Structure formats: structure tokens, C-alpha cells
Amino acid sequence: MKEKEMIFGIRAVMEAVEAGKDIDKVLVKRELSGELFMELQQLLRAYEIPMQRVPLERIDRITRKNHQGVIAFTSAVTYQKLENIVPLLYEEGKNPFILLLDGITDVRNFGAIARTCEVAGVNAIVIPARGSVTVNADAIKTSAGALHTIPVCREQNLKEAIVFLRNSGVKVVAATEKAATFYTDSDFSVPTAIVMGAEDMGVASDHLRVSDELVKIPQFGNIQSLNVSVAAGVMIYEVVRQRRTKG
């Protein structure tokens, strides 16, 4: 990562946050303490910015500058709020189409998914603040620039985001091999949000429980799952197909 995409030092990071700069995450050395650090911690919590405690050696590997045990990684895009996106879509007379990514950590898959979303007319991508990819240079490159175009919402709690969507009249459909229903049997002509999980873990059980419907993509081979970007493409274009057919 280029140094211009990072901010070093406690005060510098605090000033960047207070100035409204978009921060992906902050790395803090494990042993860091003191009054100023407590102020930083409270500020990050207030702005819902993820903070991760790491060994000093990890920070030193990133930079030898006077980092004071704190490095902030700036975001390549401005994250949006789901609570602002959905009402605006209805106001503009659009049929909401949202994609939620649960535990996706590979930036290349994320970029490929974003590219498909942009081409297919998905209105927004939702990612969790923790345990997820962020919009970095590699993701943007893989997305062919789509991440500069499509809104990305970074939410603190994906379960609450799903509940918000349901309460907003959006049907939430989770893709999982545990489902009994095939994806082609679901009605995507209505306002829809699709939840895709990581290839190893799938969609979290808590998120499956609060979704409106569970669907699966049929599999006939011996490999247990599709690449998540391919699976997302299959789901996304079923929505496109149905809406073109029924529209």
C-alpha cells in the first residue's frame, strides 16, 4: 500500500477522523495505552471505524516512519449509508436491488462482484465493517473502476442491515446450499436484496434466520461450491432476467 493511503500517529489519525476523512480501519499496537489513546479509541467508536490491536512488528513491517504505534488506512471511496440509499431509491421510483456480502475477504472476488453489480444495475453493495474486504486499490482495479461508480455501504451490523431492508419493504434472499428452494423459483421482480457468503463459511446462521427466503444454486459435480463471484453473477442475472421478463 502506498504511504499516501495511510496516516501515521495518534494525533494525525484523530485529526483525519474529525475532518471527515474516510478511514477503512486503524491498526494499533497491542501495548498502547494512555489518555491520548483513550481519546482515539472513543473517537473511532463514535465514528464506527474498526480498530485492530496488532503486534508492533506488524506495524513496523508496514512503515518505519514515526507511527507512534498507530496507522490508519484511508478508504479509496466514500462509503454510503444504507439507511440513506433505500429511501432515495423509492423516491426516484426505482425497484431496489441490493447485494450484501457476508464475510467476503478476497479483494479480487470483491472487485469481480462489484464489476458484475455495476453492469447489471445493482443499486448498492453492502459490506460489514469487520471481517470483510474494504475498497482498496486492488479491489478497484479488479472491478475495472466499478467501485468508483456503485455505492458501497459499510454497516456495523449486517443482521441489523437485513432487518432494516425487510422493514423497508425489501425482500431479503440468502444464497445457501442449506436451502430447499432453487434460486430460479424465487420471485425477484419485487424489491430485492441478495445475501452472498464466503465460499468456506457461507452466510452466517444469524443472517440466514432473519432473511425472508433461502435459495440455492443447483450443483451436479463433486466440488462443494462455486467461486463466490461466479455464484453472485448467477444470482444477480436471475434478478435481471426476471425483471426483464415481468417488466
Side-chain angles (χ1 to χ4, degrees), residues 111-123:
I113 290 169
R115 185 173 183 173
T116 302
C117 285
E118 202 282 330
V119 172
V122 174
N123 299 122

Side-chain angles (χ1 to χ4, degrees), residues 20-168:
K21 197 164 187 67
D22 282 292
I23 307 291
D24 262 339
K25 65 179 177 181
V26 177
L27 298 186
V28 175
K29 74 174 182 179
R30 282 188 183 143
E31 302 80 10
L32 196 63
S33 60
E35 188 175 330
L36 191 58
F37 167 67
M38 293 299 293
E39 288 182 33
L40 171 65
Q41 196 172 30
Q42 290 171 4
L43 188 65
L44 295 178
R45 192 177 295 119
Y47 280 83
E48 299 184 339
I49 297 171
M51 185 190 81
Q52 186 178 354
R53 292 274 204 173
V54 298
L56 178 60
E57 294 76 22
R58 179 173 172 186
I59 296 177
D60 284 340
R61 281 198 301 270
I62 296 171
T63 182
R64 285 292 182 177
K65 285 193 173 184
N66 183 24
H67 51 67
Q68 300 175 307
V70 176
I71 297 180
F73 295 84
T74 60
S75 172
V77 299
T78 299
Y79 290 112
Q80 308 293 319
K81 281 290 184 185
L82 187 62
E83 61 191 34
N84 297 332
I85 293 284
V86 174
L88 185 61
L89 292 173
Y90 281 125
E91 195 175 308
E92 293 175 346
K94 294 180 179 176
N95 188 5
F97 184 10
I98 312 289
L99 183 72
L100 295 88
L101 301 180
D102 184 3
I104 308 298
T105 57
D106 186 283
V107 293
R108 290 173 296 279
N109 278 332
F110 178 41
I113 290 169
R115 185 173 183 173
T116 302
C117 285
E118 202 282 330
V119 172
V122 174
N123 299 122
I125 300 171
V126 181
I127 58 174
R130 298 180 185 277
S132 171
V133 290
T134 54
V135 183
N136 61 22
D138 288 338
I140 289 174
K141 182 179 179 181
T142 310
S143 77
L147 285 166
H148 282 312
T149 304
I150 189 167
V152 180
C153 306
R154 186 173 66 174
E155 300 295 323
Q156 288 297 308
N157 189 309
L158 211 58
K159 181 178 178 181
E160 290 179 4
I162 291 171
V163 172
F164 167 76
L165 286 167
R166 292 183 61 185
N167 290 339
S168 301

Side-chain angles (χ1 to χ4, degrees), residues 7-18 23 40 68 70 72:
I7 302 167
F8 313 99
I10 297 179
R11 289 199 180 277
V13 171
M14 291 175 68
E15 288 170 3
V17 172
E18 289 173 334
I23 307 291
L40 171 65
Q68 300 175 307
V70 176

